[in-house]
Amino acid sequence: MRSVSRDDKDDRVDQDSEDGQVDELPAPVIPVHPDTCVLPGATLHAFTVLDDVLITLAQGPTQWKVQLFERPCPGEDPRPGGQIGEVELSTCTPPAGSLGEPTAPRFLPVLCCASPPGSRAPHGHPWGSGGVTLEGPLFGLLFGSDASLLESPVILCGLPDGQLCCVVLKTLVTSRSAPGDPKSLVKILHHLEEPVVFVGALRTEPLSEDVEDADCDCLVALGHHGRTLAIKAMWDEAGHLVPELREYSLPGPVLCAARGRGGHVYHSTPSDLCVVDLAQEGSPWDLTQHDGAPGGLPSLLCPASLSVCSVVTLSVSSRAPEGGAELLALSAKGRLMTCSLDPCSETPHPARVTSANAGQKIKELLSGIGTVSERVSSLKKAVDQRDKALTCLNEAMNVSCALLSSREGPRPISCTISTSWSRLQLQDMLTATCLLENSSGFSLDRGWALCIQVLRSSQALDLDSAVSAITYTIPVDQLGPGGQREVTLPLGPGEDGALDLPVTVSCALFYSLREVVGGALALTDPFKDPSSNECTPDVLPEQEGVYLPLSEHTVDMLQGLRFPGLAAPHTQALGPVSPARDPVHTFLGTCCGPVSQPAGPASLRAKYLPPSVATIKVSAELLRAALGDRHAGVSLCCATLQWLLAENAAADVVRAQALSSVQGVAPDGTDVHLIIREVAVTDLCPSGPIQAMEIQVESSSLANMCRAHHAIVGRLQRLVMEQAARGSSPPDLRLQYLHQIQANHETLLREVQTLRDRLCTEDEASSCATAQRLLQVYRQLRSPSLLLL
């Protein structure tokens, strides 16, 4: 009731007069201030007013909630006087948002107040504002005798999940501290199985001439997809009053609806605004009917087009001319329209086609045909893509189930990893070959990829270092049953000529959900209602794919050794085993003639210092049991060496020559010597000496010796675990002798700690002797007197 002041208008007129033009006065502006807020809250989604009661519908954490408040009066505090009733509706849980808060529903609920006969809407509320008055028979059939005896209005709630509920207003409790039982207060009338967009009532029977207005005799509810429910009271064959319930199917999706006079219901879709007539066919005053008995509902509803599209909000005005209708509509683009309908134009009749509009009519028909054809093509493309995506998903599910259910025994899809030395770009390179074999009955098509991860020893052995790895992703296209795919990757040495071993190579299959399903979900129908986007790519998980591990292989020093002195004739293609040199340096060295001896640090260490040595003693009985038939025909020393080098590329040459010792070359060019000899261990078993195999590793490089020692220990650990699972037991041992060995090792370990602490505080002259003693202690620790049984 407030607008722009008169002084503001006068200033505006004076300013326009000075400019030489006088415009019309500005339209009245009604400011809305924060103090006019009645009920703040983001959970309120629907409201209506009945007499002195404000009725709201709010979304709670788990259920919808109907609340009653005292209606504020004009001129007073705009906030309601207090809550006078509350009840929770029995419905499904709304979708949860962040931190347990319910998210806003995609479809808003609708409210309608139905009053018993004899009660009229209060003054100031226009006809069609949401409150309806029902006839006595229909009111009693729908809401029961309690509501009729109490003469209480009833709140009708249409929910987004399709439920049509009712609550008798006078049965609600008057205190929030004592909420009523929803089972006794709330009644579910029907379930449309789709979001309810309209609930109302109308008069379907014609009125007599001496009656201006009458109560409604039909309750109507519309769903978003066009399902329509109409309920009316009628007499059955036995003369009893029963409800007649009919369901119709109207074109959807329905955006909004409104009731009109004469049994008309207006409903809007994205492409049209239609009207249907629920009025009774024939005279309601048939003498064959009972006195006061209502008639039946039509068996079929035929919508009539009003040629208005994309109306999102609709209201029927009460100031319509006699026999006509006036609609107030808001379009999807924000256009507010008033539509006046004549009585004869609500039902379309065949119109005479003249030569003036025949061409325009043909253009509209052709345009409509083209639009339909374009939509059919778009939908067909979307259906085809989704069918392909579903087929790929089904195939991926079968592959995943086959791999996950075959953890023991041979796997239907496997990846075998082997290593070998190759000549690449004038440099010897250690390569890993991954052979992917599909032994299943399924095909690996689009979306599948082979992921190979290479983890260096600097990260694999140092627990404190940050994990970093190189991952190669190779798409797998059309790998059918029985197919193979081979991938070769370089492991090193790098540009600095170093290769840190061991290197862990892991293989896995990855199925990209976004690549296969994302495109199908992203397709949308351009002709569809924008508010009905039911499927979006957001349903994909954050991982965006399925990861299925296949195998893991560790490439250690024993696999990286080369044996140029044992190379077979067909393997002589490799170049020199020394690290690659710059071609310019090689050319200059040739021109200057031969040199006497290289003077590098590695050569000096190999010439003047003894090699680093480590030994491991293993029971001969343990090796015989573990190797089984593999040592048949050869000595146990040769069989042990063949077992240690089984994963090396030169394993066949070592096996053919029956060697018990071999000298190899590490990736950096230094020598590594492996010696297997048979020894007898005394003073350990009371029954006599124990036959054992002594595995000795020698190298001028301490780092390479440690890497080879680490590889041998890893193999022996796996061997002992396998034999322990078979239940083998060691012989009787002298525990006092073992205790003495353990005490000696603890003494050496304490000395190591003392020497390392001393190195941090001594000067350069004193630290030389400390370092030599530290190396001697390390050498004693690498050659223990213990025996692996």
Side-chain angles (χ1 to χ4, degrees), residues 1-46:
M1 299 174 61
R2 291 173 292 181
S3 62
V4 177
S5 63
R6 186 65 191 176
D7 296 338
D8 296 340
K9 295 181 182 179
D10 295 341
D11 294 343
R12 174 68 182 271
V13 172
D14 295 341
Q15 181 179 0
D16 292 339
S17 300
E18 294 176 1
D19 297 339
Q21 57 181 1
V22 178
D23 296 336
E24 296 181 358
L25 293 178
V29 176
I30 302 176
V32 179
H33 297 283
D35 57 1
T36 62
C37 178
V38 175
L39 278 179
T43 60
L44 300 177
H45 294 294

Side-chain angles (χ1 to χ4, degrees), residues 10-173:
D10 295 341
D11 294 343
R12 174 68 182 271
V13 172
D14 295 341
Q15 181 179 0
D16 292 339
S17 300
E18 294 176 1
D19 297 339
Q21 57 181 1
V22 178
D23 296 336
E24 296 181 358
L25 293 178
V29 176
I30 302 176
V32 179
H33 297 283
D35 57 1
T36 62
C37 178
V38 175
L39 278 179
T43 60
L44 300 177
H45 294 294
F47 79 95
T48 186
V49 178
L50 181 67
D51 295 335
D52 294 331
V53 178
L54 174 64
I55 305 167
T56 65
L57 186 60
Q59 182 183 6
T62 58
Q63 290 179 316
W64 292 98
K65 186 181 298 183
V66 176
Q67 296 176 326
L68 273 64
F69 300 90
E70 296 179 357
R71 181 172 62 90
C73 299
E76 300 179 359
D77 187 359
R79 288 173 294 183
Q83 183 174 333
I84 59 177
E86 177 181 305
V87 66
E88 290 184 347
L89 304 182
S90 176
T91 181
C92 62
T93 303
S98 60
L99 300 178
E101 293 294 331
T103 59
R106 199 155 51 88
F107 296 96
L108 295 179
V110 291
L111 286 179
C112 177
C113 290
S115 302
S119 61
R120 301 256 64 89
H123 298 289
H125 291 266
W127 185 90
S129 62
V132 295
T133 303
L134 300 181
E135 285 188 342
L138 179 60
F139 189 89
L141 287 174
L142 289 177
F143 312 124
S145 58
D146 292 343
S148 300
L149 293 175
L150 293 174
E151 296 183 353
S152 169
V154 177
I155 307 170
L156 293 170
C157 306
L159 302 179
D161 65 349
Q163 293 190 65
L164 180 60
C165 308
C166 67
V167 181
V168 180
L169 192 63
K170 290 184 179 181
T171 60
L172 291 184
V173 296

Side-chain angles (χ1 to χ4, degrees), residues 274-319:
C274 303
V275 57
V276 294
D277 190 359
L278 286 168
Q280 176 187 351
E281 298 177 359
S283 173
W285 313 113
D286 194 345
L287 297 179
T288 59
Q289 297 181 358
H290 294 72
D291 294 339
L297 290 168
S299 58
L300 183 66
L301 292 183
C302 299
S305 174
L306 301 180
S307 301
V308 181
C309 65
S310 298
V311 172
V312 295
T313 304
L314 187 66
S315 178
V316 179
S317 175
S318 59
R319 59 183 183 182

Side-chain angles (χ1 to χ4, degrees), residues 486-554:
E486 186 175 279
V487 178
T488 301
L489 302 175
L491 299 180
E495 296 180 355
D496 56 354
L499 174 59
D500 292 331
L501 294 176
V503 174
T504 302
V505 182
S506 303
C507 295
L509 279 178
F510 179 77
Y511 185 74
S512 175
L513 290 175
R514 189 162 298 276
E515 178 182 352
V516 177
V517 186
L521 293 180
L523 291 175
T524 58
D525 183 7
F527 302 90
K528 196 174 181 180
D529 175 23
S531 64
S532 61
N533 292 332
E534 300 177 357
C535 191
T536 62
D538 295 338
V539 300
L540 290 176
E542 295 180 359
Q543 291 80 6
E544 299 186 356
V546 180
Y547 187 83
L548 301 172
L550 294 179
S551 61
E552 183 176 293
H553 183 77
T554 300

